[in-house]
Amino acid sequence: MAGNSQRRGAVRKSGTKKGAVVGSGGKRRRGLEGRGATPPAEMRTKHPAAKRAAAKAKAAQAHTTPRGGAGRPAGRKADDGPELVLGRNPVVECLRAGVPATALYVAVGTENDERLTESVRLAADTGISILEVPRTDLDRLSANGLHQGVALQVPPYRYAHPDDLLDRARGSAQPALLVALDNISDPRNLGAVVRSVAAFGGHGVLIPQRRSASVTAVAWRTSAGAAARLPVARATNLTRTLKDWASQGVQIVGLDAGGNTSLDDFDGREPTVIVVGSEGKGLSRLVRESCDAILSIPMAGPVESLNASVAAGVVLSEVARQRRA
């Protein structure tokens, strides 16, 4: 038979429909044997049931894994980590503002200019490590490759606890003056508020842990280094923290264009927390209900509202004026 013949051309080539080769003579008969019973769905890697089982096992492992050194479950992603400031202008601005960076990366062969020279000088003066790396390394670290041959590594910001923030404010010579931010998602607004609080004698800033801007390199740069001197605390629940502060004798004052109290009639000489909402959303309902009063800033022109950081600066300036008097 053709299948058992040793002559060329007796059987077709394996893997093709044309041509003929020598037959196997029955030596590969084991290749025709069955593979046995079909495995269960949970054991087939591409089956939906297997994917659900793998996800369930991963979730169970995350709950049972012991906590890591940072006090978080080892299977849980860290909220904050080091970040890179890319570009010559942002890098030199951060260094001028005194951002506590840990390393300055310069790509090999980068063309020098005044900004790069100043960045290297400022980094050297402050003891920041200066590392020369291949340009491909910076390309991998940047999403769009627009690093201009320089990058600055900024460590994660160390937030204060809300209780420690209030205790520090109450222990100062002046009555407590704090600012809480609600629905502020732009880190530039956060940095500008931190700068205003520091300029007008405030004691700290409170932000929510979720759905809020955090102290990133952008906020560092906007604060002009004030974030290094002024504590910023994170609250797991902003409403609960404000209510707790109110129970300790601190007046909670919200800012809104349609407030029931004019800034001209406000007495800011008592311990005060100024709550600032976003320009678009304003104060959230629960935060608004936690406030003792809602302030509005008198406007002489046709402008309906101010930027959140500008509004905070206006109120802080008025409170500082009252306390000086």
Side-chain angles (χ1 to χ4, degrees):
M1 296 178 63
N4 293 325
S5 174
Q6 299 295 322
R7 293 179 296 105
R8 290 185 178 275
V11 295
R12 291 175 178 173
K13 291 181 180 179
S14 60
T16 179
K17 294 184 178 179
K18 295 183 179 180
V21 294
V22 177
S24 65
K27 296 178 182 178
R28 300 175 185 171
R29 192 170 298 171
R30 285 179 295 179
L32 301 176
E33 295 178 356
R35 297 185 180 180
T38 303
E42 291 79 4
M43 297 181 63
R44 285 178 270 170
T45 56
K46 296 184 179 181
H47 196 280
K51 295 179 180 179
R52 289 193 297 267
K56 185 177 180 180
K58 185 177 180 180
Q61 182 180 4
H63 285 296
T64 56
T65 303
R67 288 184 174 269
R72 295 186 300 267
R76 181 179 173 184
K77 184 180 178 181
D79 294 333
D80 301 292
E83 64 170 311
L84 287 178
V85 181
L86 304 172
R88 302 195 179 195
N89 280 334
V91 166
V92 73
E93 288 175 5
C94 281
L95 291 171
R96 288 171 182 170
V99 172
T102 55
L104 175 66
Y105 297 98
V106 180
V108 176
T110 299
E111 184 178 354
N112 197 6
D113 64 359
E114 294 179 357
R115 295 168 297 177
L116 181 57
T117 301
E118 184 179 358
S119 297
V120 173
R121 179 180 59 81
L122 290 173
D125 291 344
T126 55
I128 299 173
S129 301
I130 303 173
L131 306 174
E132 195 173 21
V133 297
R135 181 171 290 270
T136 53
D137 289 356
L138 292 185
D139 292 338
R140 285 195 299 267
L141 294 173
S142 59
N144 50 17
L146 300 178
H147 48 72
Q148 299 178 309
V150 62
L152 186 69
Q153 180 174 289
V154 180
Y157 183 80
R158 293 187 177 182
Y159 294 93
H161 192 277
D163 293 342
D164 297 335
L165 185 64
L166 181 60
D167 292 342
R168 178 179 182 273
R170 297 174 70 178
S172 64
Q174 292 290 331
L177 179 58
L178 302 167
V179 172
L181 302 183
D182 182 30
N183 289 326
I184 301 295
S185 58
D186 190 342
R188 288 168 294 192
N189 274 336
L190 171 59
V193 169
V194 170
R195 185 174 184 177
S196 296
V197 173
F200 293 113
H203 301 102
V205 177
L206 177 70
I207 62 175
Q209 189 168 359
R210 300 179 60 190
R211 300 182 182 90
S212 171
S214 55
V215 184
T216 61
V218 176
W220 270 108
R221 188 169 69 249
T222 310
S223 73
R229 303 183 298 271
L230 192 80
V232 178
R234 261 183 170 176
T236 306
N237 188 305
L238 181 61
T239 304
R240 187 185 307 135
T241 300
L242 293 176
K243 289 182 177 179
D244 179 58
W245 285 1
S247 66
Q248 300 184 50
V250 180
Q251 64 173 343
I252 312 297
V253 180
L255 296 186
D256 192 279
N260 52 20
T261 303
S262 173
L263 181 60
D264 295 337
D265 303 325
F266 171 64
D267 184 3
R269 292 171 294 182
E270 300 178 7
T272 304
V273 176
I274 302 170
V275 187
V276 184
S278 67
E279 186 176 353
K281 297 180 181 178
L283 299 173
S284 60
R285 181 181 61 84
L286 293 177
V287 170
R288 189 184 184 95
E289 293 174 354
S290 303
C291 295
D292 299 314
I294 304 296
L295 288 182
S296 62
I297 300 174
M299 303 274 188
V303 179
E304 295 182 358
S305 62
L306 295 174
N307 174 270
S309 59
V310 174
V314 171
V315 177
L316 287 167
S317 175
E318 172 61 18
V319 172
R321 185 196 64 80
Q322 294 180 9
R323 295 186 175 188
R324 286 196 305 270

